Amino acid sequence: MKHPAPTHAVDMLIVGAGFAGLYMLHKARSMGLDALVLEAAPGVGGTWYHNRYPGARVDIQSMEYSFSFDEALQQQWRWSERYAPQPELLRYANHVADRFGLRDGIRLSTRMAGAHFDEPSQRWTVQAESGESWSARFLVMASGPLSSPNLPDFAGLKDFAGPVYHTANWPHEPVDFSARRVAVIGTGSSAVQAIPIIARQASELTVFQRTAAYAAPAHNGPLDRELEARIKADYAGFRARNRRMHGGFGSLLPPNPVSALAASAEEREAAFEQRWKIGGFAILGTFNDLLMNEQSNALVAEFVRGKIRAIVKHPGTAQLLSPTHTIGCKRLCVDSGYYDTFNRPNVRLVDINQAPIERITSKGLRTGGREFEFDALVLATGFDAMTGTMMRLDLRGRDGLRIQDKWHAGPLNYLGLGIAGFPNLFNIAGPGSTSAFTNVIVAIEHHVDWIADCIAYLDAHGLHTIEASEQAEAAWAEHVNAAARRTVFLSCNSWYLGANIEGKPCMFMPLAEGFPRYADHCAQVARDGYVGFVLQ
Ligand code: NAP
């Protein structure tokens, strides 16, 4: 495809105005770079712009899930709840855009169509769907690991007479489900948050479940002001301690440094119970091997199943809601009343694992030879994660190498940051980095800072391009795989593996070695003059 010559030139073109794009733009400007963000949506905020479904909120505590790069920002911003709801997170993103004067560097409602690396100029030509194009020395993909909604190809979906919503593409005007019969397909994190709220509104709610979900209680509520004051008294120290935690958060409650197998049954039960009362991801840190050792994992999984049996009154429903896979293998959901919702007389659970959905009809859907009728359908079916957004682009590196060919067997990369054949392209919080296993804002800040240091290095050494080597990529793929093999993460069909998308190559995409080791690794690569990258 031949494109017209680019109409504008910038130093850095950034794709996406979520938290990654906002901080990248701020950082680039602080380095004196001329940078521009292209954002497909009409507003900033990324994930928090699109995921407006009822109950959407962050699953990492807000005092941790927020930017650390500016002391005045972190001191002055006040979260209202332990886990901020989506509207507040969106306000925060907008506040950051205003506070740092970023808006004039962001082109909203401008969807990137593709980008081609131009050999003679050693620059990227980036095209928008509008037909505009830019020439950029650096291309930064800040498009997010969970930004392409997964719309399964259900037969007959178009025949459904009522409205169809996807949790990741929710309307801006309030959706009123009162006096309506609603169906939800999917039981991952999005569904687990939305279902209790939809159930309170709808006259009838039918949940179609393929795989039961583990959910730990959020115990959400107003932010503890005494805790806030304590953290703000030394926010920088708190952030630094979190960066030394496996997931980039949780320093107030580190994992217990012993194996679950070393404790007696009574000690284990008491320890699980204590962490369950604290809520959120705390339960997975009750012992240090719950995500590494299947035997230990089985103990905490059974503890949660016990909770489900205690909460859900109907034994058959409790049984169906009880997951059988390893806990944490799919991201643990953090809920507010999810299991209890199935005690409501207007809620029913339908297993679509044994008998998959046959087709959607004008009035509902058919599965297992049974017809279900409803007025509105909610698809909580997740994302084509980590690669979906880039694989939809016309992205071509050296010699016209298409990203679809480069990644046909899985997303090869080095450190998650670079791709051989795609010089001066950086990927933030994508495959090959700890992104999905980390407090993603910590991951974003780390990547942006690394990219900034890298560009400063290139300039200081009179170099123009940086590109991962194929050898480093192959070794990194093995490194990512080996880290996954040391955990329980390979034991189920998760989006980490691409297994939720039909036809997608199965390759474990995020790096499971923990943020501190990964960050140390990236720092060492930089100290060694970007070993594993080709610099020219
Ligand atoms: P998800 O975890 O991938 O869940 C999708 C659900 O839809 C699963 O239950 C899946 O079943 C089901 N599904 C997918 N395709 C289906 C099909 N063809 N037929 C029947 N069922 C189907 O997606 P998500 O809930 O949107 O969450 C994705 C990630 O986003 C989370 O893991 C988390 O990282 C993030 N997130 C975080 C929060 C938060 O609490 N802050 C909230 C929402 C999302 P299977 O399991 O059988 O595939």
Side-chain angles (χ1 to χ4, degrees):
M1 187 167 57
K2 192 87 190 116
H3 288 280
T7 38
H8 323 276
V10 291
D11 297 320
M12 178 185 283
L13 199 298
I14 302 160
V15 185
F19 287 134
L22 292 175
Y23 181 43
M24 188 71 252
L25 175 61
H26 175 63
K27 188 84 183 181
R29 285 180 160 181
S30 74
M31 299 169 70
L33 297 177
D34 179 14
L36 178 72
V37 178
L38 300 187
E39 168 57 61
V44 304
T47 285
W48 302 110
Y49 181 89
H50 295 286
N51 289 264
R52 296 168 184 248
Y53 59 85
R57 64 178 66 251
V58 64
D59 60 3
I60 291 185
Q61 296 187 41
S62 301
M63 292 302 292
E64 303 178 298
Y65 186 89
S66 46
F67 281 126
S68 72
F69 69 83
D70 187 85
E71 178 64 11
L73 169 67
Q74 65 182 3
Q75 287 295 338
Q76 286 163 16
W77 184 265
R78 301 203 76 188
W79 297 105
S80 64
E81 296 177 45
R82 186 183 192 199
Y83 296 98
Q86 172 270 333
E88 191 170 348
L89 287 151
L90 190 56
R91 276 201 300 282
Y92 179 70
N94 277 283
H95 172 77
V96 169
D98 290 331
R99 184 178 186 115
F100 297 101
L102 302 176
R103 292 205 189 266
D104 61 349
I106 303 171
R107 287 287 300 269
L108 298 173
S109 306
T110 306
R111 183 178 289 280
M112 175 191 184
H116 297 180
F117 187 71
D118 177 57
E119 294 283 351
S121 65
Q122 300 283 287
R123 290 172 70 88
W124 286 94
T125 301
V126 183
Q127 302 91 32
E129 284 184 353
S130 61
E132 272 180 291
S133 62
W134 292 263
S135 159
R137 180 177 169 208
F138 297 105
L139 178 59
V140 178
M141 300 305 299
S143 43
L146 294 161
S147 50
S148 284
N150 169 35
L151 268 176
D153 189 17
F154 293 120
L157 186 56
K158 285 194 182 68
D159 301 339
F160 184 63
V164 179
Y165 306 99
H166 194 292
T167 45
N169 200 5
W170 201 261
H172 287 212
E173 60 281 3
V175 177
D176 184 7
F177 288 124
S178 49
R180 315 215 75 201
R181 297 166 304 168
V182 181
V184 174
I185 300 178
T187 50
S189 298
S190 302
V192 161
Q193 289 185 329
I195 282 168
I197 295 174
I198 297 176
R200 290 201 286 273
Q201 268 187 19
S203 60
E204 213 177 277
L205 171 63
T206 310
V207 176
F208 294 93
Q209 170 187 281
R210 188 165 71 181
T211 307
Y214 291 101
H219 299 313
N220 188 39
L223 182 63
D224 175 347
R225 294 297 167 199
E226 194 265 328
L227 174 72
E228 180 190 17
R230 231 177 341 124
I231 289 173
K232 286 187 172 179
D234 176 25
Y235 221 148
F238 178 66
R239 301 290 198 185
R241 287 188 292 282
N242 271 347
R243 279 193 284 269
R244 296 319 295 170
M245 301 300 294
H246 193 271
F249 69 102
S251 61
L252 289 176
L253 185 67
N256 183 3
V258 298
S259 163
L261 305 177
S264 70
E266 293 74 31
E267 286 165 344
R268 267 197 307 267
E269 194 67 12
F272 287 145
E273 193 61 49
Q274 193 198 2
R275 294 252 176 170
W276 185 260
K277 286 205 176 90
I278 292 165
F281 291 109
I283 185 87
L284 295 179
T286 314
F287 297 99
N288 69 357
D289 59 348
L290 298 177
L291 296 176
M292 314 299 273
N293 176 319
E294 299 228 354
Q295 250 183 303
S296 300
N297 187 284
L299 296 167
V300 62
E302 184 47 30
F303 174 83
V304 178
R305 284 192 290 268
K307 289 291 179 193
I308 298 171
R309 288 192 292 272
I311 296 168
V312 180
K313 298 196 175 85
H314 186 281
T317 307
Q319 172 77 22
L320 195 51
L321 282 169
S322 296
T324 51
H325 56 280
T326 45
I327 181 170
C329 174
K330 293 173 188 250
R331 186 177 172 100
L332 179 67
C333 302
V334 177
D335 80 299
S336 296
Y338 174 65
Y339 297 121
D340 191 37
T341 298
F342 293 89
N343 289 324
R344 295 176 65 99
N346 67 331
V347 176
R348 68 180 155 179
L349 181 66
V350 177
D351 178 19
I352 51 168
N353 186 32
Q354 296 301 321
I357 292 170
E358 287 158 31
R359 68 175 297 114
I360 311 283
T361 65
S362 64
K363 291 182 176 167
L365 69 73
R366 198 160 61 229
T367 166
R370 293 166 70 196
E371 301 272 351
F372 294 87
E373 292 194 359
F374 39 84
D375 307 309
L377 173 60
V378 175
L379 300 176
T381 45
F383 300 86
D384 183 352
M386 309 216 86
T387 58
T389 301
M390 277 172 67
M391 292 290 264
R392 282 167 176 73
L393 297 173
D394 177 20
L395 186 58
R396 301 181 194 202
R398 277 195 205 284
D399 304 321
L401 176 63
R402 297 167 68 243
I403 192 71
Q404 292 80 2
D405 294 328
K406 170 79 194 186
W407 281 2
H408 76 280
L412 282 173
N413 65 78
Y414 180 42
L415 303 181
L417 282 152
I419 306 168
F422 294 75
N424 285 3
L425 181 151
F426 299 106
N427 198 7
I428 297 182
S433 72
T434 54
S435 63
F437 293 131
T438 313
N439 172 355
V440 81
I441 299 200
V442 169
I444 285 168
E445 289 191 326
H446 168 250
H447 271 183
V448 168
D449 292 346
W450 191 95
I451 292 165
D453 289 347
C454 174
I455 291 173
Y457 180 93
L458 293 178
D459 289 347
H461 292 79
L463 297 161
H464 198 79
T465 60
I466 179 164
E467 176 183 351
S469 76
E470 286 184 352
Q471 296 89 313
E473 267 187 353
W476 193 249
E478 182 41 39
H479 182 81
V480 172
N481 241 309
R485 284 197 300 270
R486 292 193 293 273
T487 70
V488 299
F489 293 125
L490 294 174
S491 62
C492 73
N493 286 337
S494 67
W495 59 258
Y496 302 142
L497 264 169
N500 62 327
I501 302 293
E502 232 182 281
K504 186 164 172 168
C506 267
M507 172 170 166
F508 197 80
M509 295 182 284
L511 174 62
E513 73 179 354
F515 178 76
R517 284 187 68 174
Y518 169 66
D520 288 349
H521 199 111
C522 292
Q524 189 62 48
V525 166
R527 273 196 299 277
D528 290 345
Y530 297 89
V531 60
F533 288 93
V534 179
L535 284 70
Q536 286 176 327

